[in-house]
Amino acid sequence: TAYFFPATEQMLNSPPIPEADEEEGTQLIRTPEGLQHIGELIYADTLSSENKNDLLLSCRRFTASCFRLKQLSASAAFADWQLMEALRFEVIRIYSLGLTGFDTPEYPLALADAKAAAESVQKYAMLFSTSLSEKNSKLEKSYRAALTAFVKSIPQNKDADDFDRLNFIRSKANPLSQQLTKAAFALSLKPQIATSAMRWEAATPFERGAIDPWFYARSNRSEYKRKEVAELGRILFFEPLLSGNGLRSCASCHQPGKSFTDGLPQSTAFTGNGTVLRNSPSLLNAALQPAYFYDSRVNSLEDQARLVVANNIELHGDIAAAAEILRESDEYRMLFRTAFSGTEDTLISPKSIFIAIAAFERTLLAQDAPFYKYMRNETTAYSEEAKQGFKLFTG
């Protein structure tokens, strides 16, 4: 449902927290509804009359959404590549949203739900078994074995807190994802369009380059992906002329030596006296998300940078005035001409400044941490403390 009918899925199982709408150019915040919201009301310590009315209304809306899903499913046509991609995503959803309890935050059914979902993956993945056997019988056997191992490894009647999620992902989920990917290649089931930030060629999200840092970009033009644009953005990232006093830059609060943070509970305000309302989050992997700021009010890195520059207590800058100053620099004129060669963006403008900064930020990917290497089976070295930490983090 999440793959084929995402709008209906939101009605059926939207998380009990406000969520940003990923539609480009919007700032809509969805309100919680569906199973998670219903569960939150049912498992609350008390049920007020107001909450009871909310519960009844939510149940009626849920019923209507089920009817909508039935109608949509009856008239939909699913291509083989879509089914295979949906299966691959479902394996990831099981351990990222299911076994973590995100889909069932208020009641202890994570393992039972994951087991049912795994059995469903196995059922529909086996629809490819015959054609896969004709192409590659050896691959079909390993494909079938990975499906069986995946399902069997999830105990149905066990305390979810005791389940070893780390070992499950590494030894069962990832191998199944790899088999599904190999089958997709063998059966030529390449997606016709990019439906996700995760690249089709990547079997798991732990691989290098698995997530496309440009997927959520407002503009995905190939010329913006040039290394010269990112290099220009790196220079601008450290440029104090973008601030109102010529003393601050993006790097003042996002310092490379501190994982692109400033290490403070709340960042120092522009004047040097007092602080801003929140801290400076790391920019590592910031490109891999659809919305920014604590209230998800913008949908691109370009807009995020624009608002920070203009914010009176952050950079307090005038980007139009800064662009004029940069135009007076022979060095900057050459850098912009080189970076944006052949496009209208060779002119130093607020637009091209933020495009460059965002392009640099999209290079700030952290995918070689010990955790990633362990999940890719590149090493067996991973401390017991880290393993216990993962258990706490996901359970």
Side-chain angles (χ1 to χ4, degrees):
T1 303
Y3 181 84
F4 291 105
F5 312 111
T8 303
E9 188 264 346
Q10 286 293 326
M11 299 175 189
L12 290 168
N13 195 39
S14 182
I17 53 175
E19 185 179 20
D21 193 317
E22 296 180 17
E23 188 66 28
E24 184 176 309
T26 68
Q27 296 179 9
L28 176 67
I29 303 297
R30 300 191 190 97
T31 55
E33 63 179 319
L35 286 173
Q36 293 198 51
H37 185 52
I38 290 170
E40 185 180 39
L41 294 169
I42 289 176
Y43 284 85
D45 293 334
T46 59
L47 187 65
S48 65
S49 57
E50 181 181 352
N51 285 348
K52 181 179 179 181
N53 290 334
D54 186 6
L55 174 61
L56 293 173
L57 177 61
S58 296
C59 287
R60 283 195 289 270
R61 287 171 61 86
F62 180 80
T63 303
S65 298
C66 289
F67 182 71
R68 171 186 167 87
L69 177 62
K70 184 177 181 180
Q71 289 181 310
L72 291 170
S73 301
S75 59
F78 306 138
D80 284 353
W81 70 265
Q82 291 177 307
L83 178 57
M84 178 59 80
E85 189 171 47
L87 288 167
R88 293 173 65 192
F89 287 156
E90 180 62 9
V91 173
I92 297 171
R93 288 178 67 90
I94 286 172
Y95 63 73
S96 61
L97 299 179
L99 289 174
T100 57
F102 185 82
D103 274 339
T104 55
E106 297 296 333
Y107 44 99
L109 295 176
L111 283 177
D113 284 357
K115 184 80 169 181
E119 289 170 347
S120 183
V121 167
Q122 183 181 38
K123 174 183 176 181
Y124 290 102
M126 288 306 295
L127 294 176
F128 294 107
S129 181
T130 300
S131 54
L132 185 58
S133 182
E134 292 171 356
K135 287 275 187 180
N136 187 329
S137 59
K138 185 177 179 180
L139 175 58
E140 193 277 335
K141 288 180 181 178
S142 59
Y143 176 86
R144 185 190 294 265
L147 284 164
T148 301
F150 181 69
V151 174
K152 284 187 175 180
S153 64
I154 305 175
Q156 194 162 4
N157 300 311
K158 185 179 179 181
D159 187 349
D161 289 340
D162 293 329
F163 186 64
D164 188 348
R165 294 164 180 78
L166 187 68
N167 182 60
F168 169 76
I169 298 170
R170 190 170 183 262
S171 66
K172 297 299 186 295
N174 283 350
L176 175 56
S177 292
Q178 290 158 359
Q179 291 298 315
L180 289 168
T181 304
K182 289 178 181 178
F185 272 100
L187 298 173
S188 300
L189 299 178
K190 183 175 181 178
Q192 302 302 305
I193 56 173
T195 61
S196 165
M198 184 167 164
R199 299 183 194 275
W200 177 72
E201 298 85 356
T204 77
F206 308 105
E207 296 177 14
R208 292 182 185 87
I211 313 298
D212 179 6
W214 286 89
F215 184 79
Y216 293 117
R218 180 64 58 83
S219 180
N220 203 9
R221 288 162 51 176
S222 58
E223 55 263 38
Y224 293 161
K225 300 179 183 180
R226 297 172 183 160
K227 63 181 181 180
E228 293 84 0
V229 178
E231 174 58 19
L232 171 59
R234 185 189 68 79
I235 295 170
L236 290 167
F237 189 82
F238 292 89
E239 178 54 75
L241 287 174
L242 300 185
S243 68
N245 59 7
L247 298 175
R248 287 190 128 193
S249 69
C250 300
S252 298
C253 295
H254 297 285
Q255 302 166 26
K258 295 180 179 178
S259 298
F260 290 89
T261 73
D262 56 13
L264 300 173
Q266 290 173 290
S267 298
T268 305
F270 174 78
T271 59
N273 298 317
T275 64
V276 300
L277 296 176
R278 49 194 181 279
N279 67 358
S280 295
S282 173
L283 294 181
L284 297 176
N285 296 335
L288 312 184
Q289 61 192 66
Y292 300 91
F293 294 114
Y294 74 102
D295 57 358
S296 303
R297 65 182 179 272
V298 300
N299 304 86
S300 73
L301 281 170
E302 290 83 353
D303 283 346
Q304 188 273 340
R306 177 177 57 82
L307 292 187
V308 169
V309 169
N311 190 299
N312 289 340
I313 62 172
E314 294 184 74
L315 288 187
H316 194 53
D318 181 338
I319 194 62
E324 286 187 20
I325 296 173
L326 296 181
R327 285 189 211 110
E328 296 173 1
S329 164
D330 292 338
E331 182 182 1
Y332 268 116
R333 286 200 302 271
M334 181 189 68
L335 286 169
F336 273 83
R337 281 197 301 268
T338 302
F340 293 107
S341 176
T343 76
E344 62 183 14
D345 298 305
T346 52
L347 298 173
I348 302 176
S349 66
K351 174 189 172 187
S352 56
I353 289 171
F354 292 131
I355 286 172
I357 291 174
F360 166 64
E361 291 178 321
R362 291 188 180 99
T363 69
L364 303 178
L365 304 177
Q367 295 175 306
D368 272 326
F371 171 74
Y372 281 89
K373 293 179 179 179
Y374 183 73
M375 298 306 278
R376 292 195 294 258
N377 281 305
E378 293 177 2
T379 179
T380 57
Y382 202 57
S383 72
E384 285 303 314
E385 281 185 327
K387 290 177 181 178
Q388 288 298 319
F390 186 84
K391 195 173 184 180
L392 279 171
F393 186 74
T394 57

